[in-house]
Amino acid sequence: MQRYKLKATKKYEQKFLNGYPLIAKESLENINTLKDEGAIIDIIDNKNHFIARAYYGRQNKGYGWVLTQNKKEQIDLNFFKQKIKSAIDYRANFYKSKDTNAFRVFNGEGDGVGGLSIDYFNGYYLITWYSIGIYKFKDTILNALKSLVEFKGIYQKKRFDSKGQYLEDSSDFLLGQEAPEPLIVKENGVNLAIYLDDGAMVGVFLDQKNVRKKIRDKYAKGKDILNTFSYTGAFSVYAALGGAKSTTSVDLAKRSLAKTKEQFEINNLSLKSNKIVVEDVFDYFKYAFKKGLKFDMVIADPPSFARSKKRTFSAKKDYTSLLKDIIKITNKSGVIVASTNAANFNMKTFKSFVEKAFKAESRKYKILESYSLPKDFRVSKNFLEGNYLKVLFIKVD
Ligand code: SAH
């Protein structure tokens, strides 16, 4: 395969020397000469000295990722073995845990290889490839993983195009045994139904494990809880297990009804006090305003961007107005759990959305706690923007 030698731009030379992992568009001179995805790039400085070794793979984020700053290190089976081994060691407590058997094993650049993630679901591994470039290393990475872990089966998701969209495949199953559908996993002692071969999403977002636990253990008891953008209702299930008086899960996707029912059923929870509503959240708000519905806790974890028939929602543009609606239907002394996985703004900006919304509604608030990614979603100290998750527990005064 082709190898490239490209010069770091002035602005990026020092960044790469300091360990910055992303190949941004403006980071290399003549970046447009890159053609073969998966090719190795040696990054050199002004005097042609080696700085770092990367691979070329196009994602929305950039042109690839630095893999090593060591000139002698080759990108081979041994390289990936070392990376995956240290990732596994870092999650030793997750592997040992009795009440959790679903977690992230390898988190992209946080574990030294951007564009690649590996999740563990009760004996099964799911590899996600975020570019054609990293997919070129498929056989090597698979061999590395196989040599290090015992597994029942291995699955993959291809998220190749520039927006990280999922590439529909005839099957996402790779090798070993096929997983049951659904595969029941445990997280904090809660049963969760996972589908490893049913489109882009498997049913649960593992990065919210600590937030779910907190809602169950500290906030839910005796409360009426609204879960907006509820997907398969994972937050609602935890809330119900924490003794919520009622939960209402709202999502516009039709599939959410059956999937949410299933999550309740596998935890032996009745649907009597747990309502599932298939509707646009913004229409549901109108209904709630009209009926004067109020909740003790409202959870909002919208997609960072979504287009429906009626409207587009962008977290960056629309979160403030979403919060304004939510404030109106939250009881006095109630709690809003505001969450976003949008990578295009940081916690400070997110807090400014909260400030604006409460100001506009002439209400006071207090931030009780905040969360970012859990330990298994390891973040590189040289790429803090990889910590995309922002969650605020806000008390409405
Ligand atoms: N909070 C969920 C994950 C949300 S994923 C969890 O913890 O599992 C985003 C969800 O928002 C998807 O299920 C999608 O169907 C839903 N969604 C997007 N736009 C919506 C809208 N306008 N109204 C209701 N649901 C919406």
Side-chain angles (χ1 to χ4, degrees):
M1 164 126 25
Q2 170 102 29
R3 274 184 92 107
Y4 297 96
K5 201 180 255 193
L6 294 179
K7 216 168 255 171
T9 56
K10 231 189 191 150
K11 190 175 153 213
Y12 272 81
E13 191 177 299
Q14 194 56 43
K15 280 184 105 163
F16 285 132
L17 283 166
N18 292 342
Y20 187 74
L22 179 68
I23 308 295
K25 188 176 194 319
E26 64 280 11
S27 69
L28 299 177
E29 286 176 12
N30 301 317
I31 198 161
N32 288 326
T33 56
L34 293 171
K35 293 269 171 330
D36 289 352
E37 289 221 22
I40 296 295
I41 311 166
D42 278 352
I43 303 172
I44 51 174
D45 69 9
N46 236 340
K47 301 195 178 82
N48 290 332
H49 294 312
F50 174 93
I51 309 180
R53 185 162 290 141
Y55 77 90
Y56 173 45
R58 294 289 286 268
Q59 283 177 243
N60 59 339
K61 288 182 184 158
Y63 281 62
W65 296 92
V66 171
L67 297 172
T68 181
Q69 291 176 270
N70 176 355
K71 188 177 181 183
K72 297 210 183 87
E73 190 166 36
Q74 294 309 316
I75 309 310
D76 53 12
L77 179 65
N78 199 38
F79 171 84
F80 288 110
K81 261 184 163 169
Q82 275 184 36
K83 292 291 173 203
I84 296 173
K85 168 82 169 49
S86 79
I88 289 169
D89 291 348
Y90 184 78
R91 278 89 175 166
N93 287 335
F94 284 93
Y95 276 101
K96 273 188 240 150
S97 166
K98 293 224 161 44
D99 61 6
T100 296
N101 59 23
F103 53 90
R104 177 147 294 191
V105 174
F106 198 97
N107 195 44
E109 72 284 356
D111 285 293
V113 183
L116 169 74
S117 74
I118 306 176
D119 294 319
Y120 178 78
F121 295 100
N122 192 11
Y124 295 86
Y125 284 85
L126 171 65
I127 307 176
T128 303
W129 316 100
Y130 288 91
S131 69
I132 294 168
I134 192 65
Y135 187 68
K136 293 271 168 79
F137 296 95
K138 174 181 171 180
D139 291 344
T140 316
I141 290 171
L142 259 180
N143 284 335
L145 179 65
K146 276 157 61 183
S147 74
L148 292 165
V149 298
E150 284 174 30
F151 60 88
K152 290 184 191 147
I154 302 181
Y155 284 72
Q156 68 175 354
K157 305 263 176 230
K158 298 175 189 167
R159 289 176 164 256
F160 283 174
D161 86 347
S162 59
K163 290 210 174 83
Q165 288 291 340
Y166 169 74
L167 197 77
E168 200 67 52
D169 235 330
S170 52
S171 167
D172 289 340
F173 173 66
L174 270 179
L175 55 106
Q177 255 168 263
E178 284 189 53
E181 301 232 316
L183 170 67
I184 308 295
V185 303
K186 268 201 192 307
E187 182 197 81
N188 301 311
V190 177
N191 290 327
L192 296 172
I194 299 293
Y195 292 81
L196 292 178
D197 196 4
D198 187 24
M201 302 189 291
V202 299
V204 174
F205 293 96
L206 296 177
D207 55 4
Q208 296 277 15
K209 56 169 70 67
N210 295 341
V211 180
R212 287 193 276 268
K213 184 171 190 300
K214 207 25 134 3
I215 289 172
R216 178 190 67 186
D217 296 350
K218 191 171 157 191
Y219 289 92
K221 199 163 189 192
K223 299 286 160 54
D224 290 314
I225 298 180
L226 175 67
N227 180 11
T228 60
F229 307 94
S230 56
Y231 183 40
T232 66
F235 283 123
S236 310
V237 168
Y238 268 69
L241 289 168
K245 192 163 134 223
S246 75
T247 70
T248 304
S249 306
V250 182
D251 196 294
L252 59 67
K254 289 205 178 66
R255 56 154 202 253
S256 70
L257 178 62
K259 300 238 163 167
T260 305
K261 261 190 189 157
E262 181 173 57
Q263 301 287 22
F264 279 106
E265 279 160 8
I266 61 171
N267 287 288
N268 302 312
L269 292 163
S270 126
L271 288 168
K272 254 190 230 145
S273 51
N274 297 304
K275 251 173 74 180
I276 305 164
V277 181
V278 176
E279 193 178 13
D280 188 308
V281 160
F282 300 96
D283 292 335
Y284 183 82
F285 288 151
K286 280 186 208 143
Y287 164 82
F289 299 153
K290 212 164 69 198
K291 296 269 170 183
L293 293 185
K294 295 250 180 176
F295 298 88
D296 304 314
M297 172 175 263
V298 180
I299 302 163
D301 176 34
S304 44
F305 189 85
R307 190 172 311 210
S308 70
K309 272 171 227 139
K310 286 189 196 153
R311 59 171 64 78
T312 55
F313 174 86
S314 138
K316 193 174 182 177
K317 285 205 194 99
D318 303 319
Y319 215 109
T320 303
S321 110
L322 170 65
L323 281 169
K324 277 162 55 184
D325 285 344
I326 290 174
I327 293 166
K328 292 190 186 90
I329 57 168
T330 306
N331 280 324
K332 197 164 181 305
S333 298
V335 174
I336 297 170
V337 179
S339 170
T340 180
N341 60 4
N344 57 349
F345 57 88
N346 61 18
M347 185 58 115
K348 198 172 159 220
T349 304
F350 192 39
K351 285 184 176 166
S352 78
F353 297 162
V354 175
E355 174 72 26
K356 262 191 224 150
F358 275 88
K359 211 165 184 187
E361 292 298 310
S362 308
R363 297 288 297 273
K364 291 221 156 59
Y365 69 97
K366 200 174 139 206
I367 292 179
L368 301 174
E369 35 196 316
S370 68
Y371 283 85
S372 52
L373 286 174
K375 187 181 176 200
D376 50 330
F377 283 67
R378 194 178 187 177
V379 174
S380 161
K381 65 177 191 320
N382 299 315
F383 195 72
L384 294 177
E385 55 266 55
N387 200 340
Y388 55 83
L389 186 68
K390 296 167 273 294
V391 185
L392 295 170
F393 284 61
I394 310 159
K395 186 171 171 200
V396 182
D397 283 338

